[in-house]
mmCIF file of all heavy atoms in Angstrom:
data_model
loop_
_atom_site.group_PDB
_atom_site.id
_atom_site.type_symbol
_atom_site.label_atom_id
_atom_site.label_comp_id
_atom_site.label_asym_id
_atom_site.label_seq_id
_atom_site.Cartn_x
_atom_site.Cartn_y
_atom_site.Cartn_z
ATOM 1 N N THR K 705 -35.096 -3.637 4.059
ATOM 2 C CA THR K 705 -35.479 -3.987 5.519
ATOM 3 C C THR K 705 -34.305 -4.609 6.280
ATOM 4 O O THR K 705 -34.011 -4.256 7.402
ATOM 5 C CB THR K 705 -36.653 -4.863 5.626
ATOM 6 O OG1 THR K 705 -37.645 -4.333 4.832
ATOM 7 C CG2 THR K 705 -37.055 -5.147 6.851
ATOM 8 N N ILE K 706 -33.699 -5.479 5.578
ATOM 9 C CA ILE K 706 -32.437 -6.255 6.186
ATOM 10 C C ILE K 706 -31.321 -5.242 6.425
ATOM 11 O O ILE K 706 -30.719 -5.301 7.398
ATOM 12 C CB ILE K 706 -32.030 -7.368 5.202
ATOM 13 C CG1 ILE K 706 -33.155 -8.472 5.063
ATOM 14 C CG2 ILE K 706 -30.786 -7.996 5.769
ATOM 15 C CD1 ILE K 706 -32.729 -9.606 4.098
ATOM 16 N N ARG K 707 -31.124 -4.424 5.450
ATOM 17 C CA ARG K 707 -30.065 -3.311 5.517
ATOM 18 C C ARG K 707 -30.291 -2.450 6.776
ATOM 19 O O ARG K 707 -29.263 -2.074 7.474
ATOM 20 C CB ARG K 707 -30.010 -2.448 4.281
ATOM 21 C CG ARG K 707 -29.428 -3.161 3.074
ATOM 22 C CD ARG K 707 -29.386 -2.073 1.973
ATOM 23 N NE ARG K 707 -28.696 -2.590 0.747
ATOM 24 C CZ ARG K 707 -28.186 -1.849 -0.192
ATOM 25 N NH1 ARG K 707 -28.289 -0.472 -0.056
ATOM 26 N NH2 ARG K 707 -27.785 -2.394 -1.291
ATOM 27 N N ALA K 708 -31.419 -2.240 7.158
ATOM 28 C CA ALA K 708 -31.820 -1.237 8.208
ATOM 29 C C ALA K 708 -31.585 -1.952 9.471
ATOM 30 O O ALA K 708 -31.371 -1.212 10.517
ATOM 31 C CB ALA K 708 -33.182 -0.727 8.111
ATOM 32 N N VAL K 709 -31.736 -3.174 9.640
ATOM 33 C CA VAL K 709 -31.783 -3.854 10.956
ATOM 34 C C VAL K 709 -30.452 -4.644 11.221
ATOM 35 O O VAL K 709 -29.998 -4.529 12.317
ATOM 36 C CB VAL K 709 -32.978 -4.940 10.942
ATOM 37 C CG1 VAL K 709 -32.930 -5.660 12.241
ATOM 38 C CG2 VAL K 709 -34.247 -4.012 10.744
ATOM 39 N N LEU K 710 -29.928 -5.512 10.297
ATOM 40 C CA LEU K 710 -28.792 -6.298 10.614
ATOM 41 C C LEU K 710 -27.464 -5.638 10.265
ATOM 42 O O LEU K 710 -27.473 -4.747 9.449
ATOM 43 C CB LEU K 710 -28.862 -7.588 9.733
ATOM 44 C CG LEU K 710 -30.160 -8.477 9.994
ATOM 45 C CD1 LEU K 710 -30.116 -9.690 8.929
ATOM 46 C CD2 LEU K 710 -30.162 -8.841 11.321
ATOM 47 N N THR K 711 -26.450 -5.978 11.018
ATOM 48 C CA THR K 711 -25.159 -5.464 10.726
ATOM 49 C C THR K 711 -24.453 -6.312 9.559
ATOM 50 O O THR K 711 -24.615 -7.643 9.604
ATOM 51 C CB THR K 711 -24.208 -5.533 12.028
ATOM 52 O OG1 THR K 711 -22.845 -5.038 11.656
ATOM 53 C CG2 THR K 711 -24.143 -6.926 12.657
ATOM 54 N N PRO K 712 -23.787 -5.637 8.752
ATOM 55 C CA PRO K 712 -23.224 -6.381 7.698
ATOM 56 C C PRO K 712 -21.694 -6.641 7.875
ATOM 57 O O PRO K 712 -21.070 -7.486 7.118
ATOM 58 C CB PRO K 712 -23.210 -5.278 6.494
ATOM 59 C CG PRO K 712 -23.049 -4.047 7.217
ATOM 60 C CD PRO K 712 -23.713 -4.264 8.529
ATOM 61 N N ILE K 713 -21.287 -6.374 9.267
ATOM 62 C CA ILE K 713 -19.909 -6.797 9.702
ATOM 63 C C ILE K 713 -19.749 -8.217 9.963
ATOM 64 O O ILE K 713 -20.521 -8.769 10.702
ATOM 65 C CB ILE K 713 -19.524 -5.889 10.841
ATOM 66 C CG1 ILE K 713 -19.511 -4.401 10.481
ATOM 67 C CG2 ILE K 713 -18.068 -6.350 11.460
ATOM 68 C CD1 ILE K 713 -19.211 -3.521 11.745
ATOM 69 N N ILE K 714 -18.752 -8.849 9.279
ATOM 70 C CA ILE K 714 -18.603 -10.292 9.534
ATOM 71 C C ILE K 714 -17.227 -10.602 10.385
ATOM 72 O O ILE K 714 -16.953 -11.722 10.699
ATOM 73 C CB ILE K 714 -18.535 -11.056 8.261
ATOM 74 C CG1 ILE K 714 -17.553 -10.588 7.180
ATOM 75 C CG2 ILE K 714 -20.059 -11.052 7.696
ATOM 76 C CD1 ILE K 714 -17.482 -11.408 5.936
ATOM 77 N N ALA K 715 -16.364 -9.585 10.349
ATOM 78 C CA ALA K 715 -15.154 -9.692 11.187
ATOM 79 C C ALA K 715 -14.537 -8.331 11.433
ATOM 80 O O ALA K 715 -14.867 -7.318 10.861
ATOM 81 C CB ALA K 715 -14.124 -10.570 10.427
ATOM 82 N N ALA K 716 -13.602 -8.225 12.481
ATOM 83 C CA ALA K 716 -12.888 -7.022 12.811
ATOM 84 C C ALA K 716 -11.565 -7.329 13.138
ATOM 85 O O ALA K 716 -11.261 -8.384 13.833
ATOM 86 C CB ALA K 716 -13.629 -6.372 14.099
ATOM 87 N N ILE K 717 -10.647 -6.553 12.655
ATOM 88 C CA ILE K 717 -9.093 -6.865 12.921
ATOM 89 C C ILE K 717 -8.519 -5.598 13.587
ATOM 90 O O ILE K 717 -8.528 -4.626 13.021
ATOM 91 C CB ILE K 717 -8.463 -7.160 11.540
ATOM 92 C CG1 ILE K 717 -9.184 -8.236 10.778
ATOM 93 C CG2 ILE K 717 -7.046 -7.482 11.705
ATOM 94 C CD1 ILE K 717 -8.939 -8.203 9.260
ATOM 95 N N ALA K 718 -7.988 -5.722 14.706
ATOM 96 C CA ALA K 718 -7.479 -4.610 15.423
ATOM 97 C C ALA K 718 -6.094 -4.195 14.753
ATOM 98 O O ALA K 718 -5.232 -5.145 14.405
ATOM 99 C CB ALA K 718 -7.222 -4.894 16.861
ATOM 100 N N VAL K 719 -5.893 -2.775 14.872
ATOM 101 C CA VAL K 719 -4.611 -2.491 14.284
ATOM 102 C C VAL K 719 -3.964 -1.467 15.315
ATOM 103 O O VAL K 719 -4.234 -1.579 16.471
ATOM 104 C CB VAL K 719 -4.678 -1.754 12.862
ATOM 105 C CG1 VAL K 719 -5.102 -2.597 11.829
ATOM 106 C CG2 VAL K 719 -5.724 -0.482 12.993
ATOM 107 N N GLU K 720 -2.921 -0.614 14.886
ATOM 108 C CA GLU K 720 -2.272 0.179 15.917
ATOM 109 C C GLU K 720 -3.039 1.472 16.157
ATOM 110 O O GLU K 720 -4.140 1.531 15.955
ATOM 111 C CB GLU K 720 -0.793 0.403 15.451
ATOM 112 C CG GLU K 720 0.003 -0.842 15.353
ATOM 113 C CD GLU K 720 0.126 -1.641 16.542
ATOM 114 O OE1 GLU K 720 0.617 -0.951 17.718
ATOM 115 O OE2 GLU K 720 -0.244 -2.793 16.627
ATOM 116 N N LYS K 721 -2.441 2.461 16.715
ATOM 117 C CA LYS K 721 -3.006 3.754 17.234
ATOM 118 C C LYS K 721 -3.527 4.701 16.075
ATOM 119 O O LYS K 721 -2.674 4.898 15.254
ATOM 120 C CB LYS K 721 -2.144 4.480 18.163
ATOM 121 C CG LYS K 721 -1.757 3.595 19.354
ATOM 122 C CD LYS K 721 -0.794 4.348 20.304
ATOM 123 C CE LYS K 721 -0.358 3.559 21.413
ATOM 124 N NZ LYS K 721 0.712 4.207 22.372
ATOM 125 N N ALA K 722 -4.739 5.213 16.245
ATOM 126 C CA ALA K 722 -5.188 6.302 15.428
ATOM 127 C C ALA K 722 -4.982 5.854 13.919
ATOM 128 O O ALA K 722 -4.261 6.734 13.260
ATOM 129 C CB ALA K 722 -4.612 7.602 15.811
#
Side-chain angles (χ1 to χ4, degrees):
T705 303
I706 297 176
R707 286 188 180 196
V709 176
L710 298 180
T711 176
I713 296 176
I714 59 177
I717 307 158
V719 291
E720 297 299 306
K721 298 177 182 178

